[in-house]
Amino acid sequence: MISKINLENILFLDIETVPETQYFSDLSETKQALWESKSKYQRKEDYTAEEFYDRAGIWAEFGKIVCISVGYFNILNDLRTFRTTSFFGDEIKILKDFKNLLETHFNQTKHLLCAHNGKEFDFPYIARRMIIHNIELPNKLNLFGKKPWEVPHIDTLELWKFGDYKTYTSLKLMTNVLGIPSPKDDIDGSEVCRVFYEDNDIDRIVIYCEKDTITVAQIFLRLRGDTILSADEIIHI
């Protein structure tokens, strides 16, 4: 039961991704053809491969990570705080810094990673980008040979489904129905590409990413019947 998990053993996280290049034309001819084939089912006849390219960040083979935000609980003498920090900039540095965090502070069996739709997106995306960059996977992301109950991942979307795999519930919808203050007061995921490539405003993306990480923690608290975080319990590092 999630109510028995020690909050201090969980690393909450969220990632933001963009297409690997700003323009479709910046890709090699081979990669353009591969993108056309990969995206054919999703775009159908409504868009050309080039018109659909702004959504390439969804796929690890055609995108890259521009920010990983993490958060963790610290409880001392019944005083609860939630500390957040972010890795951003060069993707290889982002991945190495995140790996270092896992290996130095969240490397024990008791430690878990938690994200919303993390099992379908965040966790495999990070792992695939690490492999692409020849970065050895940390134990928490290396799932080869592990049994389902040995996977150290919590997915708030999976918890909310209660075994129902027919629907997807967004972070925004969950905050609404659970009475959690919505983090979506600036940009949303569809705007990250534009803000990164056109506005060159990584700080805005970091703020957005950290708010989502906090929201994942808030949802987890609600799912286990705990009081959600107040503003003065949240510390940005």
Side-chain angles (χ1 to χ4, degrees):
M1 295 176 61
I2 62 173
S3 60
K4 295 182 178 180
I5 300 175
N6 185 340
L7 288 174
E8 293 180 289
N9 291 337
I10 306 172
L11 183 70
F12 297 86
L13 65 95
D14 184 65
I15 70 174
E16 297 303 328
T17 65
V18 298
E20 64 177 285
T21 60
Q22 183 172 5
Y23 301 111
F24 177 74
S25 58
D26 293 333
L27 298 174
S28 67
E29 290 186 5
T30 299
K31 203 66 179 284
Q32 288 180 23
L34 289 168
W35 169 247
E36 184 170 4
S37 175
K38 178 74 173 180
S39 63
K40 186 175 183 179
Y41 175 77
Q42 285 79 12
R43 59 186 171 84
K44 297 182 172 57
E45 301 299 324
D46 300 330
Y47 302 93
T48 65
E50 184 170 7
E51 291 170 337
F52 201 72
Y53 183 65
D54 62 344
R55 307 182 201 185
I58 295 175
W59 288 274
E61 300 86 354
F62 297 92
K64 64 182 179 182
I65 297 171
V66 295
C67 181
I68 301 178
S69 292
V70 300
Y72 58 92
F73 283 94
N74 183 270
I75 302 172
L76 183 63
N77 298 326
D78 294 326
L79 179 63
R80 181 182 69 173
T81 58
F82 186 74
R83 299 166 184 261
T84 66
T85 192
S86 295
F87 307 107
F88 57 93
D90 174 72
E91 187 185 38
I92 293 178
K93 186 176 187 305
I94 291 173
L95 295 171
K96 287 184 176 180
D97 287 347
F98 178 68
K99 176 183 176 179
N100 181 63
L101 173 68
L102 294 184
E103 293 185 331
T104 56
H105 296 289
F106 288 89
N107 60 349
Q108 298 181 39
T109 302
K110 65 182 179 180
H111 291 133
L112 304 166
L113 307 182
C114 181
H116 191 73
N117 199 31
K119 290 185 178 182
E120 290 289 329
F121 185 69
D122 304 73
F123 306 140
Y125 201 112
I126 295 171
R128 289 166 184 157
R129 294 306 297 173
M130 283 185 173
I131 291 173
I132 287 170
H133 288 299
N134 291 310
I135 299 172
E136 185 178 356
L137 293 179
N139 183 56
K140 294 300 178 184
L141 292 175
N142 191 346
L143 308 185
F144 298 124
K146 289 184 178 177
K147 299 177 177 63
W149 56 87
E150 295 174 330
V151 176
H153 299 164
I154 301 173
D155 189 328
T156 49
L157 175 59
E158 182 180 75
L159 293 175
W160 181 247
K161 286 181 175 180
F162 290 93
D164 175 9
Y165 291 95
K166 297 187 297 294
T167 60
Y168 171 84
T169 307
S170 69
L171 206 61
K172 186 174 184 178
L173 177 55
M174 285 198 67
T175 59
N176 179 270
V177 299
L178 295 178
I180 298 169
S182 174
K184 309 298 186 183
D185 57 358
D186 182 23
I187 59 176
D188 61 36
S190 66
E191 298 176 281
V192 170
C193 177
R194 174 185 59 79
V195 173
F196 181 78
Y197 279 120
E198 296 181 19
D199 300 345
N200 296 312
D201 194 347
I202 188 63
D203 291 339
R204 193 176 173 194
I205 294 172
V206 169
I207 292 171
Y208 167 72
C209 194
E210 286 195 4
K211 286 182 178 180
D212 273 359
T213 300
I214 294 167
T215 300
V216 174
Q218 299 279 47
I219 289 173
F220 187 78
L221 290 173
R222 282 285 281 110
L223 289 173
R224 57 185 256 150
D226 291 353
T227 304
I228 64 172
L229 292 161
S230 61
D232 59 0
E233 290 180 293
I234 301 170
I235 301 172
H236 299 274
I237 303 174

